[in-house]
Amino acid sequence: MNKKLLAAIGISGTLMLGSVYSISANTSGYDLYKEALKKTHTADSATMNFNLTIEDNNKSILSSESTFKSDSVNQINSITTRLANESEVSNINMYKQDGNWFVMKDGLDTVYKLNTTKSSHHSNTAELKDDLENLIDVMTKNLQQQITVAEKNNGATIIELDLTGKEIPLTANALSTLMIKHAVMIQDSNDAEGSEFHIQAKIPELDHEITVKQIKLTAEVDKENYVTKQSVKAVVTGKDKQGTSHELTLNINLNVSAYNETTITPVAIPTDKIIEFNHGKK
């Protein structure tokens, strides 16, 4: 489990919400969310705070806190991330400038210049994207009326789909199979690379009695019609090969602010410390 998975999970959160509302065109929140997504994607700049936690039986096995600033006009991005598993903490800074990504980790006197072309990570992420789209198609086909819309006093709108227990039997097998498949892909990639700025989480491999307990998707749109918050929660229970019971909980929270007002100052990259790195390439 490493930073590459966080990127994939970030994509999955956006895909989940986007797919739900593209399918559920008869819900009152569909047009609002569709137009908000269009406007959000055309913003010149924004600041995103992204938090992720994975728990096993209420014990944290991975957490991430990231701030992502994007300036599409000047083509500059910056990401600061704090990753933690049960025994390690890693602080990473990433910058995109002059057409390249650079990675710096606290405690390392090295700057990685990432070569992300033709990487296994990109092919795995594309496969994850396709699998998630197919899963959401199945999940929402018969659940359109369970999407709710609520107005807040500040003019914002909350759009939500919250499925529990017997509401999600059709997706249980599909979701559990998807999680196992991509966990194997992620582990294989980790074993092949072993980069010194990755940390991993010990995620139990569920083997039998796998059940999807809850799936909750939420979006908030402000009065200017920007998506300001998105969250995903998934709870899966099951037993490993040794018969030990596990309840795995994934929480993703994304807050977006400073639309068209985010500025990023380019950083000085010491050229004598740069190492070329083929990220994700086996």
Side-chain angles (χ1 to χ4, degrees):
M1 174 70 67
N2 56 38
K3 189 170 176 60
K4 296 183 302 178
L5 176 59
L6 304 186
I9 291 174
I11 293 171
S12 76
T14 304
L15 281 170
M16 283 181 175
L17 288 167
S19 299
V20 166
Y21 295 105
S22 66
I23 295 167
S24 307
N26 63 334
T27 65
S28 59
Y30 171 74
D31 289 329
L32 169 67
Y33 193 75
K34 180 178 66 175
E35 292 305 314
L37 281 178
K38 289 181 180 179
K39 186 172 183 180
T40 297
H41 292 158
T42 60
D44 291 336
S45 65
T47 298
M48 291 159 272
N49 293 307
F50 176 87
N51 295 324
L52 172 147
T53 60
I54 300 177
E55 296 182 346
D56 176 24
N57 294 334
N58 296 317
K59 180 181 179 181
S60 177
I61 55 177
L62 184 74
S63 65
S64 168
E65 300 174 1
S66 298
T67 298
F68 175 35
K69 295 184 177 182
S70 176
D71 181 348
S72 60
V73 174
N74 297 303
Q75 297 185 353
I76 300 176
N77 296 323
S78 73
I79 306 173
T80 61
T81 297
R82 179 188 184 276
L83 285 171
N85 60 16
E86 296 174 82
S87 59
E88 298 176 88
V89 176
S90 177
N91 293 293
I92 301 170
N93 294 313
M94 298 182 66
Y95 305 96
K96 184 181 181 182
Q97 52 192 50
D98 301 323
N100 297 301
W101 275 103
F102 300 93
V103 181
M104 306 175 189
K105 178 183 176 182
D106 286 359
L108 292 181
D109 192 31
T110 301
V111 178
Y112 289 96
K113 181 180 178 181
L114 299 189
N115 178 5
T116 59
T117 59
K118 299 181 180 179
S119 71
S120 62
H121 165 48
H122 282 75
S123 62
N124 289 351
T125 299
E127 190 170 348
L128 175 62
K129 176 181 180 294
D130 292 339
D131 285 346
L132 282 165
E133 287 179 335
N134 292 334
L135 172 62
I136 299 304
D137 284 343
V138 173
M139 186 178 76
T140 58
K141 196 163 290 184
N142 299 313
L143 299 168
Q144 296 177 6
Q145 300 306 318
Q146 292 176 250
I147 297 175
T148 62
V149 178
E151 300 289 338
K152 296 181 67 176
N153 292 335
N154 61 2
T157 302
I158 305 295
I159 307 169
E160 183 176 280
L161 174 64
D162 190 0
L163 307 176
T164 58
K166 293 182 179 180
E167 294 173 329
I168 50 177
L170 293 176
T171 64
N173 290 334
L175 182 57
S176 60
T177 300
L178 175 70
M179 290 180 66
I180 292 171
K181 171 184 175 182
H182 286 283
V184 171
M185 292 169 62
I186 290 160
Q187 187 59 51
D188 287 346
S189 183
N190 282 345
D191 294 342
E193 293 178 37
S195 168
E196 63 183 333
F197 58 78
H198 286 159
I199 66 172
Q200 301 181 17
K202 295 180 180 179
I203 298 180
E205 182 179 347
L206 301 184
D207 181 72
H208 56 282
E209 298 184 25
I210 301 171
T211 302
V212 181
K213 187 175 180 180
Q214 181 182 23
I215 301 174
K216 184 175 182 179
L217 315 172
T218 306
E220 181 171 329
V221 178
D222 68 11
K223 59 184 179 181
E224 279 79 33
N225 210 31
Y226 282 114
V227 176
T228 56
K229 295 181 181 180
Q230 294 193 99
S231 66
V232 178
K233 179 180 181 180
V235 181
V236 178
T237 62
K239 294 183 178 180
D240 59 26
K241 291 181 179 179
Q242 290 72 40
T244 302
S245 297
H246 297 273
E247 181 173 278
L248 298 177
T249 303
L250 166 70
N251 280 293
I252 302 168
N253 291 287
L254 175 68
N255 295 311
V256 190
S257 61
Y259 278 109
N260 301 316
E261 297 178 356
T262 295
T263 58
I264 307 170
T265 303
V267 298
I269 305 295
T271 56
D272 59 326
K273 296 182 179 180
I274 291 177
I275 293 178
E276 299 277 346
F277 180 62
N278 293 323
H279 184 57
K281 187 176 181 179
K282 293 185 179 180

